[in-house]
Amino acid sequence: MRIALALKGLDYKAVPVALQDGEHLEAEYRTVNPQGLVPVYSDAQILLSQSLAIIEYLDETHPQPPLLPATPLERARARQFALLVASDVQPLTGLRVMSYLRDACRLDVAARRGWFNHWLMEGLDALELWLTAAERGTRYCVSDEPSIADVCLVPQLAVARRSGIDVEEFPRLAAVEARCLALPAFIAAGAAPPAPPS
Amino acid sequence: MRIALALKGLDYKAVPVALQDGEHLEAEYRTVNPQGLVPVYSDAQILLSQSLAIIEYLDETHPQPPLLPATPLERARARQFALLVASDVQPLTGLRVMSYLRDACRLDVAARRGWFNHWLMEGLDALELWLTAAERGTRYCVSDEPSIADVCLVPQLAVARRSGIDVEEFPRLAAVEARCLALPAFIAAGAAPPAPPS
């Protein structure tokens, strides 16, 4: 979401929520999002959760530069790619799920790490395969301009790197990431440069 | 997706995939969707996975009747609601996750049922609260016409009923569902009428 805001050149005030301290579960944050999930976006018109809904809203209210390609076909592909991250990876590896696996399912550290890596790798495999099958030679995931697909991909790859996954095993994803991380908006949004392999 | 196709009045050929037999994991289906997930939509132009990407594509290529409201604000709310289902409930309760909990995490039936009901109830709570907070008196979730939000809600409530959850505990959701199930498109798509309480 910060990358989308930066690509749009929008000023915003970031309010960090300390997930590790459970701040997202406290009453004060629940008045913002009853679900206790991040991120939430708010302006004079709306208070909105769900990253993809926020990005689409930003794109409709601030059309330049577009975060969705021009044709229905390419928009469909961009949304499909974004949903591969936002529906197939992120929900399964988020903090609330990892906590439930620990507290309710009583999985030990190794089993939880196995879960996390399994769904992350499944997702990265699917994304790499998607780019391979597309084989369109575009600069970014779906076109020659960064889109909602890239905005979702780059933070997911940052998570993967922090988890010790060798992103270079996914050469097409890594190539798109490198191009994104050279863009001022991605730098301004704090999309981390590749960490040294651990 | 079948509801969206029916609302648009589109003819289509449904190709059932026998998930319980693992047909979605076989090589033949993998040529359609390498991820092995359903549903997949295909026409002369595109082969597309991810329900929400498919519904948005149908809406862009067949604009009448619209499945997204007219204003950016209402479209954002419709997408937010749809994502509450498609990202926060569906991925956590789908077959591939339930199988992983059984085979890799070795959770017994009771623990798996606990998992399933936990995320489903969390989701229904969030959706009911969302409608309560909106309190706009619209006929359907976000407006007086069915939208992508209703198209996602009704099948999720059908899953809940089949799982023995008393949907009447969520009066706003149940009221929207009842209005949807009275519409010819929802009937034609086989959105099941409420089953007797089990």
Side-chain angles (χ1 to χ4, degrees):
Chain A
M1 190 170 97
R2 284 192 297 173
I3 298 170
L5 287 161
L7 283 165
K8 296 290 186 187
L10 297 173
D11 275 334
Y12 62 95
K13 181 182 161 203
V15 182
V17 180
L19 299 180
Q20 295 298 347
D21 299 339
E23 198 183 322
H24 57 299
L25 302 176
E26 291 172 8
E28 187 181 343
Y29 186 72
R30 295 270 190 189
T31 64
V32 177
N33 183 5
Q35 266 196 301
L37 298 178
V38 292
V40 162
Y41 168 84
S42 116
D43 63 18
Q45 308 294 322
I46 203 166
L47 180 67
L48 198 60
S49 69
Q50 298 293 337
S51 300
L52 295 190
I54 295 168
I55 295 170
E56 296 256 8
Y57 174 74
L58 290 174
D59 202 52
E60 294 194 351
T61 51
H62 302 85
Q64 295 305 326
L67 290 179
L68 285 152
T71 69
L73 216 63
E74 288 197 322
R75 274 199 295 280
R77 296 168 48 79
R79 288 185 176 118
Q80 180 192 25
F81 191 98
L83 283 160
L84 283 171
V85 176
S87 284
D88 288 354
V89 180
Q90 205 285 323
L92 293 168
T93 53
L95 185 62
R96 66 175 187 151
V97 167
M98 298 313 295
S99 300
Y100 188 89
L101 289 170
R102 182 191 61 212
D103 301 335
C105 302
R106 308 261 173 203
L107 293 195
D108 63 19
V109 174
R112 297 201 306 272
R113 186 175 300 261
W115 167 281
F116 186 93
N117 285 346
H118 174 78
W119 298 115
L120 186 48
M121 293 296 282
E122 279 246 330
L124 297 181
D125 278 337
L127 294 168
E128 178 77 9
L129 197 56
W130 190 98
L131 285 184
T132 308
E135 203 59 273
R136 293 147 57 92
T138 54
R139 187 159 174 76
Y140 302 100
C141 287
V142 290
S143 68
D144 288 329
E145 301 297 332
S147 76
I148 192 170
D150 308 286
V151 166
C152 290
L153 173 64
V154 169
Q156 190 62 64
L157 291 181
V159 168
R161 287 180 190 280
R162 280 200 303 275
S163 311
I165 286 173
D166 180 8
V167 172
E168 307 307 318
E169 280 183 38
F170 306 92
R172 285 173 179 80
L173 299 180
V176 168
E177 181 195 33
R179 288 182 206 117
C180 287
L181 291 178
L183 296 175
F186 283 77
I187 296 166
S198 60
Chain B
M1 189 171 96
R2 285 192 296 173
I3 298 170
L5 287 161
L7 283 166
K8 296 289 186 187
L10 297 173
D11 274 334
Y12 63 95
K13 181 182 163 203
V15 182
V17 179
L19 299 180
Q20 294 298 346
D21 300 338
E23 197 182 326
H24 56 300
L25 302 175
E26 290 172 8
E28 187 181 343
Y29 186 72
R30 295 271 191 189
T31 63
V32 177
N33 182 5
Q35 265 196 302
L37 298 177
V38 292
V40 162
Y41 168 85
S42 114
D43 63 19
Q45 308 294 321
I46 202 166
L47 181 67
L48 198 59
S49 69
Q50 299 291 338
S51 299
L52 295 190
I54 295 168
I55 295 169
E56 296 255 7
Y57 174 74
L58 289 174
D59 202 52
E60 294 194 351
T61 51
H62 302 85
Q64 294 307 323
L67 291 179
L68 285 153
T71 69
L73 216 64
E74 288 197 323
R75 274 200 295 280
R77 295 169 49 77
R79 288 185 176 118
Q80 180 192 26
F81 191 98
L83 283 160
L84 283 171
V85 176
S87 284
D88 287 356
V89 180
Q90 205 284 324
L92 293 167
T93 53
L95 185 62
R96 67 175 187 150
V97 166
M98 299 313 296
S99 300
Y100 189 89
L101 289 170
R102 182 191 61 212
D103 301 335
C105 302
R106 308 264 174 200
L107 294 196
D108 62 20
V109 174
R112 298 201 305 273
R113 185 176 299 262
W115 166 282
F116 186 93
N117 284 345
H118 174 78
W119 298 115
L120 186 50
M121 292 297 280
E122 279 244 331
L124 297 181
D125 279 337
L127 294 167
E128 179 77 10
L129 198 57
W130 190 98
L131 284 184
T132 309
E135 203 58 275
R136 292 145 58 92
T138 55
R139 186 160 175 77
Y140 303 100
C141 287
V142 291
S143 68
D144 287 330
E145 301 297 331
S147 75
I148 192 171
D150 308 287
V151 167
C152 290
L153 173 64
V154 168
Q156 191 61 65
L157 291 182
V159 169
R161 286 181 191 278
R162 280 201 301 276
S163 312
I165 286 173
D166 180 7
V167 172
E168 307 308 319
E169 278 183 38
F170 306 91
R172 284 173 179 81
L173 300 180
V176 168
E177 181 196 33
R179 289 184 206 114
C180 288
L181 291 178
L183 296 176
F186 283 77
I187 295 166
S198 60

